[in-house]
Amino acid sequence: MRHRQLRTAALALGVVVLLDVLRVWLPSIITVFGRAAETPAELLGAFALGWFVLALAAPVLVRRLGPHPVGAVAAGVLAATRLALTAAPGGRVQLWLGCAGLLAGLVWLAATAATVSRPVPGLAYGLAVAAVGHALLGTEDLVWRGGVLGWVGSVLLVAAFLAAQLAASPPAGRVALDGGAASEPGGGAGRAAWLLVGPVLLLAGQVALAPAVWDAAAAYWHGSVDLPGLALPPARLAAVPEVAIGLFLAAVLLRPPRPVARLLWPAALVVGAGLFATDRAGWLAPAVLLAAAGLGGCLALVDGPGGPSPSQDLGMAADPGTDGGRRRGFAVVGGMLGFAIGAVAYYAAYDLGYPNGWVPALAALAVAVAAVLAPPLAAAPVRWPVPVWTVLAAMLLTAVGGGLHRPAPAPKPPATPPAAVRVVAYNIRMGFGLDGRLDVDALARAVNGSRPDVVLLSEVDRGWLLNGGHDTLALLAGRLRMPYVFAPAADPVWGDAVLSRFPVRAGRTEPLAAHGAPTGAQALGVTLDLGGRDLAVVATHLQPPPGEGPVAQAGEVAAFATRYAAGRPLVLGGDLNTEPGDPAFAEFTRAGLVDALAAARPLRTSPADEPRSQIDHVFVTPGLSPSGAAAPRGTASDHLPVAVTLALP
C-alpha cells in the first residue's frame, strides 16, 4: 500500500475513533456537567468551548516538536481514552476521560493536518465507516455496550487505528508529506478542506449520516397522515438508510462535470439542511437524502487539485514545520471550534427559547460556499484508494443492519378482552442514567419489572447528535419486544412514544402551544384493540413556561384526550411537570379524569436518587378501576417510572 493510502486509512480510522469519543463527550457535557439543565446554559457552553479554545495551541506545539511525534502521542492518548471509556463507571470519571479524549483528538487532527493537505478521502471514508458501523450496531455504540462484543470491537478498532498511524509515519530520516509548503499549488484548497472538517462533522452527525435519524425518517415515510410516526413492523418500507449512504459515497466518488456539480451539490445540501430546519416530520426523509448527497458532492468539490507529486510520496517533501502545515492545523482546530459552537447553540435553544434550525442551515451554507469557490481539480482525475463498488457494499451492510434490528412485529388482538391492563409511564431522559451513561438494559429492567401491557414514554430521543445520535426508542422497544408509536415534540427526532402488547388501530398527534416554554410539546393519542374492545391512550410531556406551571397545556391535553376518547375508556399519562393540588393538575380532574395513583400518594418520582416531587402521573376515565400503583426505585433515568393496574369496566 502506498504511503498516501496509509495516511488516508489512518485519517479515516482516526475519524471513527474521534466520533466514538464525541458520542460520549457530548451527552456527558449535558447529563454530567450540565446535570440535565440544572447548570446554566452559559456555564455549560463555556466549559464545552474551552476545550476547543485550548486546542488552538496544538498547531504551535506541532511546529515546535514536529507533527509525527506529536501525532503519535496524541493518537495514543486518543486510543487509550477510547478504551477507558468502555470501562468507565460513568459520572465525573467519564466526563474527564471524554474531555481528555476530545483534546487528544483535536491535537491529533492538527498534527495530521501538518502532513496531509488533502483530507477529503480520509474524512469521507471515516464518516461512511462510522455511519455503517453505527447502523450495524443498531445505533448503540461499542463504547456503551461493554461485554465481549463491546471490548473485542473496541480493541480491534483502536488497534487498527494505531497500526495505520504507525505505518503512515515516515521511516527514520525521511519526512512524508501530502503537500506541506505554503507556496505549494493548492495549499489554500487544502486549508479550506481542513477548515470544513468541523461543519462537515456537524452536518453528518445531525442530518446526513446519522443512522438513528435515517430510521426515524423511514418511519415517517410509511406512517399515516394522522400519525406519521407510526412504525409498521416487521418490514421497513422506505429504504432511507441505504439510499442515504449510497448517495453520500456516490456523490464523493463519481464526479460529474464541474459546472453541473458546482450548482447541484451545494444546492442539494442547503435545501436538505433547510428542510431539516423546518422541524416538519414529513420532510425529514427528503432532508436526509438531499443533505447526504449534497454533503458528499461538496466534499468532492473541495478535494484539492491533483494531489502530491511522486517525490512527495517517496518522502522527500518540504519541512513539515512550514507555514502551510501550521495554517492547516489552525484551520482544522478552528473548524472544530465551529462544530462546538454549533452544537452548544443548538442545545441552548431548549433552555433559552430561540429557533435552532439556523445551526445546520448555517453549517450547510458554509460548506456550500466553500464548495462553490473551490478551485477546479487538476487536469488528471484524482484517484481514490478504494474502488467504486464500496458504494454498493456500504448500502448492503446498512440494509443488513436494518434487518438485524427490525422492530417487533405488530401483535394480534387477544381472543377475549383482558380483565385488566398494566400501564407504565416513564420519563427516560433520552436513555441516560444518573451516572451519565447510556444504559438501555437498565431502562428495560426498570420497565419490565412492572410487567406492563402498555408503556408511555417521555423524553424519547431518536437521533439527537447532542445525545450521541442513538435511536433510544428502537433500542428499548427491541429489548422489550414491543412495537411502538412515536410522535415528535421538540423536533422530528425528540418526543413521546407509546409501546403496547396490543395492536394499534388508529392514532393522532396534536402539537401543543408553547405558551412561553422553550421546548415543544405534543399530545399523542392511540387506540388499542383489546380483542373486540378499544382503549384510548394519550401520552404527553408538558413543558411549563419559566417560573410558571403548565396550566394552559394541561387544559389543551385534557380537552384533546376527552375528544379523542369519544366515550371510550381512556388512559392519559406522562411527565406532566405538575404536582397534586397545583392548578395544572386540577385541569385534568376538572375534565372528569381520575388520578389513578391517588391511593398510593405520596408517590414521588423526581429526582430518581432522592425523590421529592410527584410530577409523573396517570389519569383515567371513571370506568377504569386502578390498583397496585407503584414507583419502582432505580437510577436508569432522572425520573422513576410509575406503574398501575387498570381493571376494565
Side-chain angles (χ1 to χ4, degrees):
M1 184 180 290
R2 295 177 63 189
H3 207 87
R4 177 156 47 92
Q5 294 173 340
L6 287 170
R7 290 197 295 277
T8 296
L11 178 56
L13 290 168
V15 166
V16 176
V17 176
L18 179 58
L19 285 172
D20 271 4
V21 172
L22 280 171
R23 290 195 190 108
V24 178
W25 181 79
L26 284 167
S28 296
I29 291 294
I30 296 172
T31 60
V32 180
F33 183 84
R35 293 180 295 178
E38 291 182 19
T39 301
E42 297 83 357
L43 180 59
L44 183 149
F47 180 84
L49 294 177
W51 296 97
F52 293 82
V53 173
L54 183 61
L56 289 172
V60 178
L61 184 67
V62 169
R63 182 179 177 86
R64 291 185 176 180
L65 301 181
H68 296 296
V70 171
V73 172
V77 175
L78 174 60
T81 54
R82 166 62 184 80
L83 288 178
L85 284 170
T86 301
R92 293 285 173 176
V93 173
Q94 174 181 294
L95 173 65
W96 292 115
L97 281 173
C99 291
L102 169 68
L103 186 58
L106 295 174
V107 175
W108 169 77
L109 281 175
T112 302
T115 59
V116 176
S117 67
R118 186 183 167 217
V120 169
L123 176 61
Y125 288 133
L127 291 173
V129 169
V132 172
H134 218 214
L136 287 171
L137 292 168
T139 75
E140 185 180 14
D141 308 280
L142 292 171
V143 173
W144 303 114
R145 279 176 176 264
V148 175
L149 175 62
W151 276 107
V152 171
S154 297
V155 169
L156 289 176
L157 172 62
V158 165
F161 166 53
L162 292 178
Q165 182 75 19
L166 180 63
S169 299
R174 287 188 176 182
V175 176
L177 292 183
D178 194 6
S183 60
E184 175 193 347
R191 289 195 297 276
W194 278 110
L195 182 63
L196 291 179
V197 169
V200 166
L201 288 182
L202 185 67
L203 289 167
Q206 198 165 32
V207 190
L209 297 178
V213 178
W214 292 345
D215 287 337
Y220 286 126
W221 257 15
H222 60 70
S224 67
V225 174
D226 287 336
L227 192 60
L230 178 61
L232 299 178
R236 188 173 62 194
L237 303 183
V240 175
E242 296 85 352
V243 175
I245 190 66
L247 285 174
F248 172 76
L249 285 174
V252 175
L253 297 172
L254 307 176
R255 308 190 179 193
R258 186 171 180 81
V260 175
R262 181 177 278 182
L263 175 64
L264 177 63
W265 300 135
L269 180 60
V270 171
V271 172
L275 290 177
F276 180 83
T278 64
D279 284 347
R280 296 282 297 273
W283 293 358
L284 185 59
V288 166
L289 297 179
L290 286 169
L295 189 64
C298 288
L299 282 175
L301 286 169
V302 300
D303 189 23
S309 66
S311 65
Q312 289 169 326
D313 272 336
L314 292 174
M316 297 180 289
D319 179 5
T322 59
D323 286 342
R326 183 166 59 89
R327 289 172 182 171
R328 290 196 298 272
F330 279 118
V332 68
V333 176
M336 290 301 294
L337 178 59
F339 167 90
I341 292 173
V344 170
Y346 195 89
Y347 172 74
Y350 296 108
D351 285 328
L352 305 180
Y354 56 82
N356 56 8
W358 59 268
V359 173
L362 282 182
L365 187 61
V367 174
V369 169
V372 170
L373 298 180
L377 298 177
V382 179
R383 293 192 175 275
W384 280 44
V386 180
V388 173
W389 59 260
T390 53
V391 177
L392 297 178
M395 295 177 68
L396 177 61
L397 289 174
T398 304
V400 169
L404 291 174
H405 305 285
R406 183 176 297 177
K412 295 180 179 180
T416 58
V421 295
R422 185 73 169 168
V423 176
V424 169
Y426 197 9
N427 181 325
I428 61 172
R429 195 168 80 148
M430 292 80 70
F432 290 89
L434 288 183
D435 60 357
R437 289 186 68 79
L438 181 75
D439 193 343
V440 185
D441 289 331
L443 281 177
R445 289 192 297 269
V447 173
N448 257 339
S450 298
R451 299 188 177 278
D453 300 302
V454 182
V455 182
L456 287 64
L457 299 179
S458 304
E459 291 195 14
V460 176
D461 175 22
R462 303 208 64 190
W464 262 10
L465 173 64
L466 301 166
N467 295 323
H470 314 102
D471 189 348
T472 312
L473 176 59
L475 290 169
L476 180 57
R479 283 164 169 79
L480 297 175
R481 300 183 182 277
M482 298 174 74
Y484 57 81
V485 176
F486 174 77
D491 61 28
V493 294
W494 193 95
D496 311 294
V498 173
L499 288 71
S500 173
R501 301 195 190 281
F502 304 107
V504 175
R505 283 205 313 105
R508 186 181 307 153
T509 177
E510 182 172 296
L512 304 179
H515 302 289
T519 304
Q522 66 80 50
L524 166 63
V526 299
T527 302
L528 304 181
D529 185 351
L530 304 187
R533 300 189 61 182
D534 288 346
L535 177 66
V537 177
V538 174
T540 192
H541 180 191
L542 302 186
Q543 301 292 334
E548 303 177 27
V551 180
Q553 283 188 351
E556 293 174 15
V557 170
F560 166 81
T562 52
R563 287 197 313 271
Y564 181 77
R568 296 168 295 182
L570 167 68
V571 179
L572 184 157
D575 178 358
L576 304 184
N577 274 311
T578 184
E579 297 201 59
D582 289 348
F585 189 92
E587 290 292 323
F588 296 101
T589 57
R590 186 177 295 113
L593 300 178
V594 177
D595 178 8
L597 308 179
R601 302 287 187 197
L603 198 64
R604 298 179 178 89
T605 59
S606 178
D609 53 347
E610 296 180 8
R612 297 184 296 274
S613 302
Q614 306 176 50
I615 58 176
D616 300 273
H617 305 283
V618 175
F619 288 93
V620 297
T621 46
L624 296 173
S625 302
S627 63
R633 298 299 293 267
T635 58
S637 170
D638 60 343
H639 287 240
L640 297 179
V642 292
V644 63
T645 299
L646 303 174
L648 300 175

